[in-house]
Amino acid sequence: MKNLARALLFAALCLAASPAHAQGAEATQAATAPADYSIDANWLCRPGRDDACAHDQSATVISADGTLTREPFRPNAAPPIDCFYVYPTVSLDPGENSDLVPGREEIYVAEVQFARFAAVCRTFAPMYRQNTLASLRARMAGRFTTPNRELAYQDVRAAWRRYLAHDNHGRGVVVIGHSQGAALLIRLIAEEIDGKAIQAQLVSAIILGANVIVPDDADVGGSFQHVPACRTPTQTGCVISYVSFRDTAPPPPVGLFAHAYDPRSYAPLPGMRVLCTNPANLAGGPGTLHSYFSTQVTGPSAPPGFSWTSPNVQIDTPFVSTPGLASAQCRSDEHSTYLAIHVNVGEDDVRTHDIPGDVRAGGRILPDWGLHLIDVPEAMGDLIGIVGRQGEAHAARRR
């Protein structure tokens, strides 16, 4: 798994999505028929099943003074809305496109990025034949590859259409994706939702770790023509999107994330920027993040010997929450727009004085990748809180 971080980032470049990109060479690839989503096994998560979204989400809350409090998790028995999730590049399958059989990697990423949303919505997540880690590693090594990227999109679109036809029943829905999954959702929203009747059922879109493009002076336009940025927790039909970097290590002048570029040529787009909506303060300005980190964090996202407390205390829950440890603020410079993450370390704070999430290769932090691996966990509590309020607002408006 040591190359997972590299592949997650490169997926955003390989699958940078926009309507224009979809009409280019990628869309001309020969594709087999989309997957059949009437088959239950082709879903990673569905309501009422013992699947990836039904796993334990209990957390240990670690206070600054070292107090540990167990926080149980209770899914909502009758949530008013649905959530539809597309996972990032994780497949360890050997081919250039994955199969539709959930591996431990797909199950794990759903547990970390999506299962907690069961507190506020019914959870739907299709398997899809994504561009695999093996294919990405080969391309990064300079070898010619021919992954069928159009197939991944056709699968996601087929799952979305099946969900609408057989499961939605007029309910509000949140679409959620990260990295490759977010890029696919950018295209799906542009082609299937933006400006169409179904947009009335869009509670929100959470598009993380991918570049949603907007004009410099507006919150809509560019990637989407009718889906604006969310600026209050009760606004619906809007998008929450960001790419995160440490405030001490902003994006370099040229890079894959935080820069507005043409997804076909990667040329800069004058007058455009990458959208940033701070989940800790949608109205703007700084805010303290409500994070939920996996206690199974290993590999390139955490430095060797990483511990949540000093001295180290054994944590027996699958997640930890660290109130007040991290805060966020959207920042822009002449090159980029991003969510700047600050680690708040008090002198007497016995918790870790850092957070995991940097992308590392050969022991070196890769600066243009930022905190890509924790785009979702760093603000999980905030995102769930927002979706809960949006769901209530959506239901109230429909009444």
Side-chain angles (χ1 to χ4, degrees):
M1 296 292 284
K2 67 180 181 179
N3 287 327
L4 174 60
R6 183 186 299 274
L8 284 174
L9 182 78
F10 195 66
L13 175 60
C14 293
L15 288 169
S18 74
H21 183 256
Q23 295 165 9
E26 303 293 353
T28 66
Q29 292 179 324
T32 58
D36 182 356
Y37 290 98
S38 68
I39 300 173
D40 190 67
N42 286 344
W43 291 86
L44 181 60
C45 294
R46 284 185 60 84
R49 298 193 322 186
D50 184 13
D51 56 26
C53 290
H55 288 196
D56 185 15
Q57 292 284 303
S58 61
T60 298
V61 181
I62 309 176
S63 301
D65 64 0
T67 300
L68 304 182
T69 305
R70 192 179 186 89
E71 180 184 271
F73 176 77
R74 298 180 181 86
N76 192 324
I81 61 171
D82 295 341
C83 289
F84 182 93
Y85 166 71
V86 185
Y87 52 86
T89 311
V90 293
S91 176
L92 295 172
D93 293 347
E96 294 189 335
N97 285 82
S98 67
D99 61 26
L100 295 169
V101 180
R104 182 66 190 106
E105 62 273 22
E106 287 97 351
I107 294 170
Y108 173 74
V109 78
E111 292 171 355
V112 171
Q113 291 191 344
F114 185 54
R116 192 171 294 274
F117 281 92
V120 291
C121 58
R122 296 195 305 168
T123 52
F124 294 83
M127 292 294 298
Y128 69 100
R129 287 168 288 186
Q130 67 170 215
N131 190 187
T132 63
L133 293 174
S135 176
L136 295 176
R137 290 168 182 156
R139 179 172 293 192
M140 291 166 61
R143 297 193 296 274
F144 178 75
T145 62
T146 56
N148 192 334
R149 301 186 190 100
E150 184 67 12
L151 181 59
Y153 175 71
Q154 295 298 331
D155 278 355
V156 170
R157 187 178 69 174
W160 171 250
R161 290 178 174 179
R162 173 76 190 185
Y163 157 76
L164 288 181
H166 296 276
D167 296 298
N168 177 264
H169 304 300
R171 292 164 61 89
V173 58
V174 180
V175 296
I176 303 170
H178 180 248
S179 195
Q180 181 176 167
L184 293 170
L185 283 179
I186 291 173
R187 180 177 169 187
L188 183 81
I189 293 167
E191 295 184 358
E192 301 281 314
I193 299 173
D194 191 15
K196 296 178 171 58
I198 190 61
Q199 189 176 333
Q201 291 172 234
L202 182 68
V203 176
S204 63
I206 299 176
I207 307 297
L208 308 182
N211 298 329
V212 172
I213 307 299
V214 293
D216 283 336
D217 58 353
D219 271 350
V220 67
S223 296
F224 311 131
Q225 301 307 306
H226 304 92
V227 182
C230 297
R231 294 304 181 190
T232 73
T234 56
Q235 181 183 355
T236 59
C238 54
V239 59
I240 296 171
S241 184
Y242 58 83
V243 292
S244 56
F245 286 76
R246 293 181 183 271
D247 61 348
T248 55
V254 177
L256 301 181
F257 295 127
H259 303 274
Y261 58 83
D262 186 319
R264 295 164 297 183
S265 65
Y266 308 113
L269 292 173
M272 309 295 279
R273 62 181 170 86
V274 171
L275 179 64
C276 181
T277 47
N278 183 359
N281 187 346
L282 291 177
T288 300
L289 291 169
H290 185 176
S291 307
Y292 283 94
F293 294 111
S294 171
T295 54
Q296 300 177 53
V297 170
T298 58
S301 66
F306 181 83
S307 174
W308 292 105
T309 60
S310 181
N312 183 39
V313 175
Q314 186 67 34
I315 305 296
D316 63 359
T317 56
F319 294 90
V320 296
S321 179
T322 52
L325 183 63
S327 55
Q329 183 172 9
C330 289
R331 289 185 180 174
S332 294
D333 55 33
E334 60 180 313
H335 307 292
S336 58
T337 302
Y338 60 100
L339 188 67
I341 307 299
H342 179 73
V343 180
N344 304 303
V345 179
E347 185 175 338
D348 298 326
D349 197 327
V350 303
R351 298 175 297 186
T352 174
H353 287 191
D354 202 355
I355 55 176
D358 299 297
V359 179
R360 300 167 183 266
R364 181 176 66 90
I365 293 175
L366 304 183
D368 57 335
W369 296 11
L371 293 173
H372 188 68
L373 295 182
I374 60 166
D375 285 325
V376 184
E378 69 194 13
M380 178 64 78
D382 304 281
L383 294 170
I384 290 172
I386 292 168
V387 168
R389 293 185 64 182
Q390 288 176 326
E392 292 170 357
H394 183 269
R397 292 184 184 115
R398 291 179 69 87
R399 288 195 296 269

